[in-house]
Amino acid sequence: MKKPLFTLAFASMALVASAQTKVTVNADQGKHQISRHIYGHFAEHLGRCIYDGFYVGESNTKIPNKNGVRLDVVAALKKLKVPNLRWPGGCFADTYHWKDGIGPKAKRPKIVNTWWGGVTEDNSFGTHDFLNMCELLGTEPYLAGNVGSGTVQDLTEWVQYVNFEKDSPMSSLRQQNGRAKPWNVRYWGVGNEAWGCGGNMKPDYYANIFRQYSTFMNPKVGDERIFRIASGASDNDYNWTETLMKNIPNTLMEGLAMHHYSVLSWGEGKKGSATQFPDEEYFKTMQQALLMDELIEKHSAVMDKYDPEKKVALIVDEWGGWYNVEPGTNPGFLYQQNTMRDAVLAGATLNIFHKHCERVRMANLAQAINVLQAVILTKGDKLLLTPTYHVLEMYNVHQDATMLPVAVKSDDFTFEKEKLPAVSVSASRDKAGKVHVSLVNIDPTKPQEISVDLKGLNATAVTGRILTSGNVHDHNTFENLNKVKPVAFSGAKLSGNTLTVTLPPVSVAVLEL
Ligand code: AHR
């Protein structure tokens, strides 16, 4: 017999709460820092992410902006404390010639965005526009260099253009274009998805290409060392990671990327609806999201073989849920809505990144605005914060905090004959000594009674916030902006060293002790 729809069973949630989940927070064992950079974002020249999302043009008088950058977006992203922003792609990066995007806007050449909708790109948003916007946002830029269709000289000149202080051909050009001081960009991607849209390269070939490009990138950024990120594996391609780790010395590579999307199928139109998904699709999306743990575990094990001191960081610079585009929108624009499914996906993924923070030191949610698992959607002058936005805002207390190891014995979330752990947890201690515990219940029908043993912590009070909603399909719309938003949480009780939490179905809570 088919299980009842998740949404119907959800109505009787109060009757079925069970004290199944046991958690230990080892507050006395914190060793590693959760780099704030795992809270990075991604802005590609794709659909309405840059144009219409971040940038509406200097001549726009309807939408308040500074140099064309939407001020409502700046205000919203500042609350997230975005630590870094990756640009200009993605696949677009390996078609992008940075010199097309500098100098007087009227003179910039037009190009065709071949990967995303075949639209004409007028290059009105280029290097200065992006780097100045990062300053406005208080975020570090992460520039993705063109390896697929560029040259070593192009990339080394881009590095010189944005980073070189003294006299040089590129720093003079920068000054002529109105910027005296360098921006000192630390994070550089050397190609993107080199195994696919970045050039369909084989791992040995790309390893050599990377060595060549990396050699000519000035390793100094001010007083710091440049951070060169190699295009990494897709999902479980451990051979890619192995080949790169074996063949590239850590004097040339500071980070190695990996991409994993929670997608049902890569077939055209087979990714399922972002909002009207059946139970089975919900379960499979969660399976894909939780797979991140195994992927990181196994890529890290390969990296450990060649780099036991963990000098090279694993950079998950594309992650998130990927569904069919919203009906009636351009299939090449990847515009999708964002529900409570995405909220728990984000919370559970961040918990996984926290767990692996010793090796995973940067990650980028794809993508920031109007594309894939966006934190912001825009429509004309309106702006909407998605459930994913709220999770990232609640979780930002973990940025640069010390990770406290947790052990979780979770109740199961079952679908037909399959099961997943319903609850995921992470914890950290911030610089002021406050401990934050983040809990996610992916089960859309059952609340979870969770008993948390706080080992080595003398907590005196607990407060918190929760993001939940009556239905896993719930989302914010331009007609109802606040259907899903965080509220104060009173479902956590402290008694001595034990915390008892009742977590509603499909919810994300962040507690402060
Ligand atoms: O984020 C959308 C696309 O997904 C990126 O351009 C590419 O790197 C990946 O395949």
Side-chain angles (χ1 to χ4, degrees), residues 320-496:
W322 190 326
Y323 315 113
N324 290 341
V325 298
E326 288 307 307
T329 64
N330 187 329
F333 281 14
L334 310 186
Y335 176 74
Q336 65 189 39
Q337 250 293 0
N338 193 294
T339 65
M340 277 305 298
R341 169 172 65 171
D342 298 285
V344 291
L345 188 163
T349 305
L350 291 167
N351 286 344
I352 294 168
F353 291 159
H354 293 173
K355 172 176 163 194
H356 296 285
C357 66
E358 197 186 352
R359 180 66 85 175
V360 178
R361 303 200 284 270
M362 188 194 269
N364 300 76
L365 175 61
Q367 299 194 3
I369 309 180
N370 294 330
V371 170
L372 301 177
Q373 192 174 343
V375 288
I376 291 174
L377 303 179
T378 63
K379 186 179 180 187
D381 62 352
K382 295 204 184 102
L383 175 143
L384 174 162
L385 305 178
T386 64
T388 301
Y389 173 96
H390 293 302
V391 173
L392 271 91
E393 186 272 319
M394 289 162 66
Y395 265 59
N396 70 25
V397 290
H398 294 291
Q399 291 190 13
D400 285 342
T402 303
M403 187 269 284
L404 303 176
V406 295
V408 183
K409 211 168 160 295
S410 172
D411 189 16
D412 293 330
F413 159 39
T414 54
F415 175 75
E416 294 182 343
K417 288 193 178 129
E418 296 187 279
K419 60 182 183 181
L420 290 169
V423 176
S424 96
V425 183
S426 70
S428 70
R429 180 185 278 109
D430 70 13
K431 295 204 171 85
K434 285 182 195 149
V435 168
H436 294 101
V437 183
S438 291
L439 306 106
V440 180
N441 178 11
I442 62 170
D443 194 320
T445 66
K446 267 201 304 181
Q448 294 291 323
E449 277 292 312
I450 306 168
S451 158
V452 185
D453 179 14
L454 300 165
K455 263 177 100 185
L457 182 73
N458 290 320
T460 50
V462 57
T463 55
R465 284 195 297 159
I466 188 161
L467 188 77
T468 188
S469 196
N471 188 306
V472 68
H473 303 99
D474 282 351
H475 55 280
N476 294 331
T477 62
F478 289 98
E479 291 68 46
N480 187 358
L481 293 172
N482 290 315
K483 177 147 184 81
V484 182
K485 64 168 191 203
V487 292
F489 182 49
S490 55
K493 306 274 176 273
L494 188 64
S495 161

Side-chain angles (χ1 to χ4, degrees), residues 194-210:
W195 41 265
C197 66
N200 282 311
M201 299 176 198
K202 300 217 168 126
D204 289 300
Y205 180 77
Y206 174 71
N208 280 334
I209 290 271
F210 178 90

Side-chain angles (χ1 to χ4, degrees), residues 42 44 46 86 89-93 115-116 192-193 195 197 259 261 266 318 322 334 366-367 371-372:
F42 176 27
E44 181 164 10
L46 194 178
R86 180 172 181 244
C91 295
F92 180 79
W115 287 112
W116 307 118
N192 167 72
E193 297 195 347
W195 41 265
C197 66
H259 291 176
Y261 285 99
W266 287 111
E318 288 186 33
W322 190 326
L334 310 186
Q367 299 194 3
V371 170
L372 301 177

